[in-house]
Amino acid sequence: MTEIAKLKVEKIMGNRADELALAPQDPESRRLVRSTYIRIKNDIREKQDDISSVDSNKFDMIISEVEELHKQVQKPREQVADGEALLDLAKIVKSSAKSCTSEGVTPSDFISSLLRKYSKTEERQGTSEPAALNSIFLKEIGFSVSPVFKKFQGCCTMLGPMQTEAKQRKVAVYRKRVKPTQRFKPEELENKGQEKTDTDKNISTMFEILTQKKSVKLESLILNKKSFAQTVENLFALSFLVKDGRVELSVDEKGFHLASPRNAPDVRSIMSGEEAYSHFVFRYDFNDWKLMRNILSMREELMPHRDFLNNSSPQEGKPTAIIDLAPVKKLARNYGLVEEQEQPFVDSPEIADGIRRCKPKLL
Amino acid sequence: MATAEDFSQFDISTEEKDRLVAEVIRYVLFKTQQNSGCPIKRDELTQLVTKNHRQRALPGYVINVAREKLLNTFGYEMRELQRSRSSTNQGRASQQSALDSKSYVIISQLPADVYKKYIEDANSSHLTGFTFVVISIVYLAGGKITEENLWHHLRRLGLSENDECHPALGNIKQALEALVQQRYLQKEKSNGPEGNTLIYELAERALDGPISERIKEYISQVVQKDGTPADAD
């Protein structure tokens, strides 16, 4: 074949190749190209640590694959897929370059080092449950790096009951009274149950303990060895029970103060004077609390410790605050609950007859 | 440092000054517990003083005296932090710098070994560990990391974003959110070609000098102690 003929054949073959490359693709091949890009992107996402590693040739393999696939890209959809794959690669390279500022230590290296250190711990602990391992692992890490943060936990104070702020007296607004007509019907409110305050919860818990134990030492009932604030809260809750007549305080022969549950006095005995309210001041300060702590052992504390920091994990061996109990009514002579249910001058037939008898007969 | 000369410009008695200082110290000590360690805004402390006093410079003076007293009496430093803006909002940073609020966190000044032995609370060590791990990951990623990337690393430690019943941390997503509230991290939404991306960045508390230095030190210790070359997963 002459030289000129050879050149012509090569040119024709080259043109044919270009024609093939530029030939419109059928939807099936386009779909194939896009699915290949998706596979490459997933690969990039999963193997990002490998790609950013200096020793690995994963980056070269992927970029070569993308380069080859790029030659088949004609339409915008495939161009977008190609651009996204390149973007993912560029992000990984960028984060790898940034990590060079931290002396080449990547987050992956750090995690791997932590896990390796922990595997030594696992051998020591001898447990194989993953969740338990995580907790121990985090605690160990936290303990060893605690000087980094040197956190201050703060001082616990009487939160809850003492958060109640004094409400300002509202100015009375008098509005014109509208006479109810026959069609007037007052709105009926649903009794959904009132929200319990912290004090109510403490009262319920304390009363439940007294119901079970019957007679307990006052120190055991109110003392919280870990917290002076919670001791005062317990005393506060006890004061409500005593005020309502639900708890009786007494002194035994040895001089110990005892608290025992009892039924609240009924209205008649209060009215008749059989039962009377009396007040005394219970002086209790921080020094008294310290003295009391020395008297009682840990097991004698009855009221559970209320942990505000870690509410999700109740302390072992201590009963949690009991919420769903029958409500302890706070009856007091100043509250509207103390009402006279019988009206002797209205319903009693004898008195009514007496009144009638006193009326002079009209002749 | 608050000096006697500074005090002389205010028309209040020494007793009143002491009372205000005590109120600020008391507020800081109890608020830290109530806030679960979140920084206390300077505005809140200022309000304690301006409630009853009009002098302009008095709140600043009282806060300075309270900081000295807290350090000398309790051994706690009331560290001042300037709220940092996200690096994606650099353009607006200069305009808003005047309004950026200062806040305070309490840091113990005890030596590391004494703190570890006597103060560190075993009940909250897991939170400290989680904080350190997250901050280290973000630091090593260049100070900024996407949410997806962060969870990718945390998943290797068995911490999943969908886990709501972790035995130590409970809801892990909320535990991460707590770090944002405590100003160790800040998060920013970024509009990208793939839609909205959430980016976590180190905030002022993690960027604070002493803490940042100690974090780098401990990271080096963890990586060096390991000794063996890292395997790429």
Side-chain angles (χ1 to χ4, degrees), chain A residues 112 116 134 150-151 163, chain B residues 34 110 115 156-157 226:
Chain A
S112 303
R116 257 190 292 276
N134 285 336
K150 289 191 189 173
K151 277 191 247 185
Q163 275 182 330
Chain B
Q34 194 179 19
L110 287 173
Y115 182 88
R156 289 182 61 197
L157 293 170
D226 177 49

Side-chain angles (χ1 to χ4, degrees), chain A residues 107-140:
Chain A
S108 299
D109 297 338
F110 175 69
I111 299 292
S112 303
S113 303
L114 279 178
L115 287 170
R116 257 190 292 276
K117 185 179 174 184
Y118 169 68
S119 65
K120 294 173 194 169
T121 310
E122 185 186 345
E123 285 161 14
R124 286 202 301 272
Q125 296 292 337
T127 175
S128 58
E129 291 180 16
L133 284 174
N134 285 336
S135 307
I136 298 165
F137 171 61
L138 285 173
K139 277 194 172 176
E140 280 207 11

Side-chain angles (χ1 to χ4, degrees), chain B residues 35-178:
Chain B
N35 265 358
S36 307
C38 295
I40 300 168
K41 289 185 187 162
R42 188 183 166 98
D43 287 341
E44 294 175 32
L45 303 179
T46 307
Q47 274 173 25
L48 293 173
V49 179
T50 57
K51 203 165 48 177
N52 296 319
H53 299 275
R54 300 275 180 189
Q55 291 100 320
R56 216 186 226 186
L58 185 60
Y61 173 78
V62 168
I63 290 172
N64 287 339
V65 173
R67 288 174 78 182
E68 280 172 38
K69 206 162 186 179
L70 203 59
L71 184 63
N72 296 331
T73 308
F74 293 93
Y76 289 120
E77 184 192 351
M78 207 164 114
R79 194 142 186 94
E80 188 174 277
L81 303 173
Q82 183 89 30
R83 191 180 178 98
S84 59
R85 293 283 157 181
S86 166
S87 56
T88 55
N89 283 338
Q90 286 286 334
R92 285 176 275 165
S94 57
Q95 294 168 19
Q96 288 177 328
S97 59
L99 302 171
D100 279 348
S101 56
K102 289 183 184 174
S103 55
Y104 297 95
V105 290
I106 307 296
I107 298 176
S108 172
Q109 293 302 298
L110 287 173
D113 51 346
V114 174
Y115 182 88
K116 225 173 170 178
K117 194 173 179 187
Y118 295 107
I119 307 294
E120 175 60 20
D121 183 14
N123 291 329
S124 61
S125 297
H126 56 283
L127 292 170
T128 310
F130 179 71
T131 307
F132 173 73
V133 164
V134 171
I135 293 176
S136 302
I137 291 172
V138 179
Y139 168 72
L140 291 170
K144 227 184 198 181
I145 193 169
T146 60
E147 186 185 25
E148 190 189 338
N149 220 354
L150 177 62
W151 284 114
H152 162 75
H153 292 298
L154 289 176
R155 259 178 250 126
R156 289 182 61 197
L157 293 170
L159 304 172
S160 164
E161 59 188 314
N162 300 319
D163 190 354
E164 292 180 8
C165 302
H166 191 270
L169 298 172
N171 188 320
I172 299 183
K173 237 181 176 174
Q174 282 182 9
L176 185 65
E177 187 57 32

Side-chain angles (χ1 to χ4, degrees), chain A residues 40-66:
Chain A
I40 290 174
K41 276 165 60 176
N42 288 338
D43 218 14
I44 291 171
R45 204 170 292 130
E46 283 163 20
K47 305 273 170 64
Q48 54 182 309
D49 301 325
D50 226 351
I51 293 168
S52 59
S53 169
V54 175
D55 304 319
S56 166
N57 65 342
K58 190 75 182 172
F59 177 80
D60 293 329
M61 282 166 55
I62 288 183
I63 198 76
S64 310
E65 202 176 345
V66 169

Side-chain angles (χ1 to χ4, degrees), chain A residues 270-285:
Chain A
I270 296 170
M271 298 291 288
S272 63
E274 258 179 64
E275 307 252 2
Y277 289 96
S278 66
H279 304 274
F280 70 95
V281 175
F282 193 118
R283 190 185 178 282
Y284 191 76
D285 61 14

Side-chain angles (χ1 to χ4, degrees), chain A residues 8 93 121 357:
Chain A
K8 277 187 183 171
V93 171
T121 310
R357 273 189 238 114

